[in-house]
Amino acid sequence: MKAPLHPRQAERLQALHAYEMLDSNPEKDFDDIVQLASSICGTPISLMSLVDSERQWFKASVGLDISETPIENAMCAHAILEEEFLEIEDTLGDERMNDNPLCTSDPDLRFYAAALLKTPDGLPIGTLCVLDRKPRSLTPLQRDTIKVLARQVMAQLEMRKALATAATMRQEVDHRVKNSLQSLSAFVRIQERRLQTEEARVAVSKIMTRIDAVSTLHEYLYKTDAGSNVDLGVYLEKIVDYLRETAPANVEMEFTPVSITVGSQQAVSVGTLVNEFVANSFKHAFPDQRRGAVSIALAKTASGAVSVTCSDNGTGMTPDIPSQSGGLGMKIAEIACMELRCELDLKISNQGVTASIEFTPEPRPQYRS
């Protein structure tokens, strides 16, 4: 006989569809669970069955070569009306099953036991069941095992649902952050064009340096799912790639990435410093189309500190960061060093400028459930 509808059928179906499992590809996590259920219970057949409105569909199965059955023949549609567990020792002796073609003909299913797959709200979406072609019964240990495995199935489904929700939220946050940064960048550039004095324009350009560093970091964190930690080598490579696109035709950018993990705030500080140095080198170090190069070197010292060295082989004339100046470029460098808790070693000669820092990396621990 066809099972009556569940009393909370609309809610139940909504919960089922929220897991986005129906018609999905086979997965080893669930295949292993049904295989274990079959082995422990000594049955030739085990199924992870999801009960939809017009069918029951098998996400994982052992010993049965069909992927779904019509709801009229769904044995699990009867099981989801129970509180937690249903065991039928002989299906032909049960009025719910004795006219079911799955029991009266091939595949001749005579024994059925199922633990419900229930959401945290108590809504049954399917079962983890074991079946045999002859009447029998389970031991108490086997019943308890199926119930435990059913809870493990639901734990998997809940985890996947949470991850999908988190991914959607991350996409929304990413979209909003990118829009905000783009709007802020556009606003600053518009204001820069309206400014009357060179000093004000320089000040605004420094703000853009910070925005660019943060934008690059955000893109890195989103694409790599790095959490609060950053591979500084990868991050600086992205900054250098961006700076290379803005470099004068006569200037080359040089950088060989080294993998070093730091905190995201430290990465922004280093990125700001590198951006500032390179921008000043482009502007001041290579007058009259003089050819040259700007190099960024990253290394980890024997003591475990991170070493970053920015250098150019230009004229050595860097009006924006003279060694004894209180200029804005120098102040930005000082702020970056203050955030990194380090000192800036600045060397200016007629063969170029070199700025070096060493700081202690502070990656944050990553907690996983």
Side-chain angles (χ1 to χ4, degrees):
M1 63 179 284
K2 180 180 178 180
L5 295 180
H6 189 274
R8 299 172 65 186
Q9 177 75 344
E11 295 175 79
R12 191 189 70 77
L13 291 176
Q14 184 178 14
L16 168 63
H17 295 155
Y19 290 105
E20 298 183 345
M21 280 285 119
L22 290 170
D23 299 312
S24 59
N25 293 326
E27 297 180 62
K28 187 176 186 302
D29 288 344
F30 300 116
D31 291 342
D32 287 346
I33 288 177
V34 296
Q35 183 64 63
L36 182 59
S38 179
S39 297
I40 290 176
C41 294
T43 59
I45 301 169
S46 178
L47 307 168
M48 173 185 164
S49 173
L50 301 176
V51 182
D52 202 1
S53 58
E54 301 297 330
R55 60 174 177 158
Q56 65 174 358
W57 178 78
F58 307 135
K59 171 63 177 176
S61 66
V62 170
L64 201 62
D65 293 331
I66 56 177
S67 61
E68 64 180 59
T69 69
I71 197 67
E72 292 80 7
N73 302 337
M75 302 169 76
C76 297
H78 292 280
I80 64 171
L81 299 174
E82 302 296 321
E83 184 62 30
E84 184 178 4
F85 189 83
L86 173 64
E87 182 174 356
I88 300 176
E89 296 183 3
D90 186 353
T91 57
L92 296 185
D94 189 292
E95 64 178 6
R96 294 167 292 185
M97 308 288 183
N98 58 17
D99 62 349
N100 190 319
L102 297 175
C103 303
T104 60
S105 59
D106 187 58
D108 298 310
L109 302 176
R110 295 290 300 277
F111 168 75
Y112 174 84
L116 271 61
L117 303 177
K118 298 177 74 171
T119 71
D121 295 330
L123 295 168
I125 61 170
T127 72
L128 177 66
C129 59
V130 292
L131 304 100
D132 205 336
R133 294 182 175 89
K134 59 184 180 182
R136 56 168 298 170
S137 62
L138 298 180
T139 67
L141 177 60
Q142 290 171 332
R143 294 187 191 100
D144 288 342
T145 299
I146 295 180
K147 294 176 185 178
V148 170
L149 291 176
R151 289 196 291 271
Q152 289 302 308
V153 168
M154 287 310 303
Q156 284 276 349
L157 294 181
E158 283 295 316
M159 179 184 69
R160 290 159 188 249
K161 182 180 176 183
L163 289 173
T165 300
T168 300
M169 292 179 64
R170 284 185 68 236
Q171 290 176 350
E172 177 63 21
V173 170
D174 173 63
H175 179 71
R176 293 188 181 189
V177 170
K178 284 198 294 190
N179 282 349
S180 298
L181 289 171
Q182 289 171 356
S183 298
L184 179 59
S185 178
F187 173 77
V188 172
R189 294 186 192 283
I190 290 172
Q191 296 304 311
E192 184 179 17
R193 289 195 292 269
R194 293 177 178 176
L195 296 173
Q196 301 298 315
T197 68
E198 178 64 18
E199 181 180 2
R201 284 193 290 270
V202 170
V204 171
S205 74
K206 306 309 176 186
I207 297 174
M208 286 304 306
T209 295
R210 191 73 168 189
I211 293 174
D212 289 342
V214 172
S215 296
T216 303
L217 177 67
H218 169 73
E219 181 181 13
Y220 170 86
L221 292 175
Y222 177 73
K223 289 184 176 180
T224 62
D225 194 21
S228 58
N229 293 332
V230 174
D231 186 323
L232 188 58
V234 176
Y235 173 57
L236 286 182
E237 186 173 28
K238 293 182 179 298
I239 287 182
V240 169
D241 286 344
Y242 165 76
L243 292 170
R244 189 176 282 120
E245 293 178 1
T246 66
N250 55 304
V251 180
E252 295 182 359
M253 282 290 303
E254 299 174 350
F255 175 66
T256 301
V258 177
S259 182
I260 300 175
T261 301
V262 300
S264 56
Q265 178 58 55
Q266 290 183 314
V268 169
S269 300
V270 173
T272 300
L273 186 63
V274 170
N275 252 324
E276 179 61 26
F277 181 91
V278 174
N280 276 281
S281 291
F282 286 170
K283 186 173 182 180
H284 302 294
F286 306 99
D288 303 322
Q289 299 300 305
R290 170 176 172 161
R291 301 195 66 80
V294 180
S295 300
I296 311 299
L298 175 64
K300 198 161 189 178
T301 70
S303 64
V306 178
S307 169
V308 181
T309 301
C310 307
S311 61
D312 67 54
N313 59 359
T315 62
M317 299 298 293
T318 54
D320 198 44
I321 320 182
S323 57
Q324 301 299 322
S325 170
L328 185 58
M330 192 63 186
K331 291 187 182 300
I332 288 177
E334 289 173 352
I335 291 173
C337 289
M338 180 180 66
E339 292 171 337
L340 293 166
R341 293 196 284 275
C342 68
E343 298 292 332
L344 178 67
D345 181 10
L346 186 65
K347 297 177 181 177
I348 300 175
S349 72
N350 57 8
Q351 297 179 349
V353 177
T354 299
S356 302
I357 59 171
E358 283 191 11
F359 65 93
T360 302
E362 297 178 353
R364 297 181 182 178
Q366 301 295 293
Y367 300 102
R368 300 185 184 275
S369 58

